[in-house]
Amino acid sequence: MLRFTIASLRSVSKSFGSRASIPPRSPLPGLLFHHLGCSLRSACELTVVSAQLLSAMRLGRRSGWAGVSRRLTGSTGESFGRAELMTLIDQCTDAAGLLRLVEKHGQSFDADHVFVAWGTVREMPSAAGRGDEGLVLQRLQVLTRGKIGEWDAQLFTIGVNLMAELHLTKRMEVDDELAGELQAGAKAKLGDFKPQDVSILILGLSRMGILDAGLVAAMQGRARETAGDFEAQEIAQLMSALAIMGIRLEPDLLAAMQGRARETASDFEAQEVAQLMSTLAMMSIRLAPDLLAAMQARATVTAGAFLPRDVVLLLMSLASA
């Protein structure tokens, strides 16, 4: 990885000159190269492979779904049997135990039980979809059908993310019936999705191969409608999600996101500057001059926080801007 990064830097350094979109006497290149030199002691961690998926799916990490799980298990006004079952699902540590619960009490599972069960499976050691894990995932898909409509937008987004991670790690394949319900559920809840939900859903549904053209257009439309609510991190994540999945960015959405990025430029962290700039370069999109200037200014201010990977991504994007 170190050899690759050094080669990339050499290539980037040759690209600067008349083609580089950096003002004369700008301190940005020097700051970035200086910080990269100071950071090479951690070169064993240096890589330019895309980390956007993990970043965009941050909501679905243990801290995300478990927080919702605690809300569900601790809710008031429920019968003792329902709460006890929720706790048993949440505390399962192996697929065999969860399979026994599903086979014995599956008919009593409501939408919340099903949601917590998906998170429980994700936290178990992987068996690559074999044995009891494969069986419990098949049962869960059957139980999930008909329950999706009862999940609110937050649960739906996290649930799709959990399934996508299980699919991405080759632990399960989503069956056709569940795929259809996920598509229908996304369309039905479209007006409730927040900015962060849009990028997570685009990535999750795409990874599972169930994001059709109509849903792509609908999700981009939702992002355009809520553009004014996007924070810096969410702008970078949305652009990355579209780029990673090779989805064509609609002109109206591009204009809305560039405008919002200009408004929130001072809120971008170093990694978000690099992520946005490199993503737009990947999609062969030229930044509007005022946005390019704003991102360069922000990169200069935050140069000391850039990771080596971010330096490479930003310099490559500037060289092609």
Side-chain angles (χ1 to χ4, degrees):
M1 287 186 287
L2 178 58
R3 287 196 299 271
F4 173 76
T5 303
I6 292 174
S8 299
L9 283 173
R10 287 174 178 164
S11 174
V12 169
S13 66
K14 292 178 182 178
S15 299
F16 283 99
S18 59
R19 292 176 56 246
S21 300
I22 297 181
R25 296 188 295 278
S26 169
L28 180 55
L31 285 169
L32 292 174
F33 276 111
H34 171 74
H35 183 63
L36 178 64
C38 295
S39 303
L40 284 179
R41 283 172 292 183
S42 61
C44 60
E45 299 176 359
L46 197 57
T47 176
V48 291
V49 297
S50 174
Q52 287 92 330
L53 176 61
L54 296 180
S55 174
M57 287 187 164
R58 187 173 299 158
L59 178 63
R61 288 291 169 202
R62 179 72 186 181
S63 59
W65 81 262
V68 178
S69 172
R70 285 192 295 274
R71 170 170 65 83
L72 297 175
T73 57
S75 58
T76 58
E78 61 186 359
S79 67
F80 175 79
R82 179 180 185 276
E84 182 183 45
L85 181 56
M86 187 80 76
T87 301
L88 290 172
I89 296 168
D90 190 45
Q91 293 179 350
C92 272
T93 58
D94 59 75
L98 184 56
L99 181 60
R100 285 194 295 271
L101 272 177
V102 170
E103 291 181 337
K104 185 174 182 179
H105 302 287
Q107 291 184 336
S108 300
F109 276 34
D110 61 20
D112 293 342
H113 291 125
V114 172
F115 171 83
V116 173
W118 281 109
T120 298
V121 174
R122 202 280 303 277
E123 292 303 307
M124 292 176 180
S126 173
R130 296 188 293 268
D132 290 334
E133 179 180 274
L135 291 174
V136 78
L137 285 169
Q138 289 175 15
R139 303 286 199 283
L140 267 183
Q141 291 197 58
V142 173
L143 289 173
T144 304
R145 299 172 202 156
K147 300 289 195 303
I148 290 175
E150 299 175 44
W151 287 351
D152 62 20
Q154 183 189 22
L155 294 188
F156 183 87
T157 300
I158 300 175
V160 167
N161 177 34
L162 294 171
M163 296 176 207
E165 287 196 25
L166 291 167
H167 174 84
L168 195 60
T169 52
K170 302 186 184 305
R171 297 171 71 180
M172 63 168 273
E173 293 288 337
V174 178
D175 64 44
D176 292 341
E177 290 185 53
L178 180 56
E181 291 203 23
L182 289 172
Q183 289 176 322
K187 292 174 182 176
K189 302 176 193 300
L190 192 65
D192 297 325
F193 292 133
K194 297 178 181 179
Q196 187 181 39
D197 300 332
V198 176
S199 58
I200 293 175
L201 288 169
I202 287 174
L203 277 170
L205 295 171
S206 294
R207 291 293 186 186
M208 291 187 285
I210 56 177
L211 186 64
D212 59 27
L215 193 48
V216 168
M219 296 301 290
Q220 291 203 52
R222 178 60 181 167
R224 186 174 61 250
E225 291 171 2
T226 59
D229 296 327
F230 272 73
E231 302 295 340
Q233 182 187 57
E234 294 161 350
I235 296 169
Q237 288 178 348
L238 175 62
M239 296 297 101
S240 292
L242 293 170
I244 290 169
M245 303 317 304
I247 297 172
R248 180 180 175 275
L249 187 61
E250 294 181 356
D252 289 348
L253 178 57
L254 174 60
M257 287 296 107
Q258 291 210 61
R260 182 58 180 164
R262 283 193 295 270
E263 294 172 1
T264 60
S266 62
D267 297 328
F268 275 75
E269 302 291 344
Q271 288 72 35
E272 293 157 4
V273 172
Q275 186 180 10
L276 178 63
M277 296 282 286
S278 61
T279 295
L280 293 175
M282 187 191 311
M283 293 191 287
S284 300
I285 294 173
R286 288 186 175 276
L287 275 70
D290 54 348
L291 178 56
L292 179 59
M295 288 294 104
Q296 288 182 23
R298 186 60 183 163
T300 301
V301 171
T302 60
F306 274 79
L307 298 174
R309 176 191 64 228
D310 303 320
V311 175
V312 175
L313 290 175
L314 181 58
L315 290 176
M316 291 182 72
S317 64
L318 288 171
S320 62

